[in-house]
Amino acid sequence: MRGIRAVIALAAVGVVAAAAAAPPAPRWVGSWSAAQQLPEPANQLPDAALQGGLLRQVVHLSAGGGMIRVRISNAYGTAPLHLAEVHVARPLPGTPGAIVDGSDRLLRFSGNAEVTVPAGADYVSDPLDVPVAPLSDLAVTLRYASLAGQPTGHPGSRATSFLASDGDAAVPLLSQAVALAHWYMLAGVEVSGPALRGTVVAFGDSITDGRGSVPDANNRWPDDLARRLQAAPASRGIGVLNMGIGGNRLLLDGLGPNGLARFDRDVLAQPGVRWLILLEGINDLGVLTRDAPVSPAEHEALVARLVAAYRQIALRAHAHGIAVMAGTLLPWLGFTYYHPDALNEADRQALNAWIRTPGNFDAVVDFDRVLRDPAAPGRLLPQFESGDHLHPSPAGYQAMADAIPLAFFAQPRKARRR
C-alpha cells in the first residue's frame, strides 16, 4: 500500500508541475460583433446567391491583438450551414471589395478548412496567429456551396459587403462582385493579447445600430466610443461590441427577437464582457400607439413593464459580474412614424426619471440632456439629428460617445475568463 501511495503522490506532483509550467491560457476579448437576426424578406440574400458563391464582408475592429478568432453564426438557420472556406485579410484602402495582395490567411475549424454549423448554433474558428491593429478593418471572405434555409444575418450593417458567384476566396479583387449593404453569417471577431482588459457591449436599437450614420464611415456612437477608449492609455485594452438591432424592442419581437430574449446570446455570451451600456425602450413606447390611441392605464402599464425589464437586465448582468450603465431615451417629438403625442412623451419622461434615479444602475449617461433642444426639450437639437427627428446625425452620435464617462470602465467588477 505504501508503494501505491508513493506512486500516486509522485503522479500528483507531476501533474502540479506540468500545470505550473504550462503557459497561461489566452485572454480573448470581443473586438467586433453584430447582433444576429433572421433578415426580413427585403434584406435577404439574392436568390442566385443561395446556390453558392463568395461573400466578402468588411468589419471595423475596436481593440487590437496578436491573435484573432472569427465567429460564424447559424443562429436563426433551419438547416446546417456548410462553409467550404473562411479567409481573413487586410482590405485595400481606396478599392472597395479588394484586399491587400499577400495578406490573405485561411481560417481553420478544429484543424479543418471547412465547417458545418448546426441550425441554431454559432461556431468559433481556431486561433490564428496574425496581429491586428486597434481601429483597423478586417475583410472576411466566406466560400460556400448552396445554402439550405435562410441565412442568419444583420441587415443594418452600414457597411458594404461584396458577393461573387464563384472564384478563389483569396483573390485580391472579386470578379463582377455585387455590392450589398448587409452582413450575413458573420457574428464576431475576437482578439487576444496581454494588454487587453475586457469588452463593453452596447445593447440597443437602431440608435445604437447607427441609423443616420454614414455608410462605411464607422461613425455610429459605439465606433466613436471605441476611438475615445483607444485614445486614453488607461482604456486602450477595451473592446467595444455594437449589439444594436434596428426597430428592436425590449418586450416584444419585431425586427429581431425582443431584448430580453436575446440578452444571453448578445451580452452574456460575448468574450471578456465586463461592461454593458443599455439604450433601449423607445420602440416599445412608439409601437404602443402607432396605429391607434390607448387608454392612460395602458400607458402606465407599459412603463411599469419596461421598468421591470430594466431591472431584469441589471439583475442578469450583475449575476455575471457585468457593470451596467443605462442611457436615457432620446427626444423624439416630430418623428412621423410613431407620431408621439403628450402621453407618449410623458411615458418617455417617466422612464428617464427612473433611469436617472441613483441605485437602479451602476451608472447613467444622460443622452437626453446632451442631445435635447433646450427651447423644445421633447425634440433633438437640429445640429444633432439626421432629419427624421429621432435618429442622431454623425455629430449627434459623437456627442453621445463624448458624454460617456470613461471612469465607468474602472469599475471593479471582475471579468469572466472565456
Side-chain angles (χ1 to χ4, degrees), residues 163-414:
L163 178 68
S165 59
D166 200 3
D168 181 357
V171 70
L173 184 61
L174 298 179
S175 176
Q176 298 180 330
V178 175
L180 302 170
H182 315 295
W183 286 312
Y184 299 96
M185 301 171 281
L186 185 59
V189 177
E190 306 170 9
V191 298
S192 179
L196 295 172
R197 289 186 50 212
T199 303
V200 53
V201 174
F203 188 79
D205 47 41
S206 58
I207 295 172
T208 297
D209 203 22
R211 183 168 179 176
S213 63
V214 178
D216 297 311
N218 302 306
N219 53 11
R220 318 161 188 85
W221 72 259
D223 299 317
D224 296 329
L225 174 61
R227 284 187 281 271
R228 283 192 68 207
L229 290 171
Q230 289 299 323
S235 56
R236 280 182 189 152
I238 296 176
V240 179
L241 300 183
N242 186 332
M243 305 307 285
I245 292 180
N248 200 230
R249 289 179 281 175
L250 276 175
L251 301 176
L252 295 172
D253 293 350
L255 295 179
N258 69 79
L260 289 181
R262 70 185 181 94
F263 186 79
D264 286 11
R265 179 188 293 274
D266 289 352
V267 178
L268 301 184
Q270 297 305 318
V273 58
R274 292 183 63 186
W275 305 276
L276 168 66
I277 302 177
L278 170 66
L279 177 61
E280 189 150 21
I282 200 71
N283 291 311
D284 296 80
L285 298 182
V287 171
L288 178 69
T289 57
R290 184 183 63 195
D291 298 327
V294 301
S295 68
E298 290 175 274
H299 281 272
E300 184 177 348
L302 177 61
V303 170
R305 290 182 64 209
L306 286 170
V307 165
Y310 290 149
R311 290 187 187 276
Q312 283 290 305
I313 286 175
L315 179 70
R316 289 159 67 178
H318 288 163
H320 289 260
I322 301 169
V324 185
M325 174 184 288
T328 51
L329 301 181
L330 272 60
W332 63 332
L333 294 184
F335 183 54
T336 56
Y337 184 70
Y338 288 148
H339 49 82
D341 61 13
L343 287 176
N344 299 118
E345 174 63 2
D347 294 342
R348 186 183 73 91
Q349 294 291 352
L351 284 178
N352 281 350
W354 189 87
I355 290 169
R356 293 185 183 107
T357 301
N360 289 329
F361 295 102
D362 299 296
V364 173
V365 53
D366 203 339
F367 292 140
D368 170 54
R369 181 187 60 80
V370 172
L371 269 66
R372 70 190 180 206
D373 186 343
R379 293 178 177 268
L380 290 167
L381 275 166
Q383 64 265 36
F384 286 158
E385 69 131 321
S386 63
D388 66 4
H389 305 292
L390 175 65
H391 298 94
S393 62
Y397 285 133
Q398 184 67 64
M400 291 174 68
D402 289 344
I404 296 170
L406 297 190
F408 172 64
F409 303 103
Q411 291 279 354
R413 291 187 181 276
K414 294 181 180 179

Side-chain angles (χ1 to χ4, degrees), residues 47-73:
D47 289 342
L50 299 177
Q51 305 311 309
L54 295 170
L55 181 60
R56 180 168 289 168
Q57 304 175 88
V58 178
V59 301
H60 188 65
L61 305 179
S62 54
M67 293 191 296
I68 66 169
R69 301 191 302 202
V70 172
R71 182 156 40 95
I72 303 298
S73 184

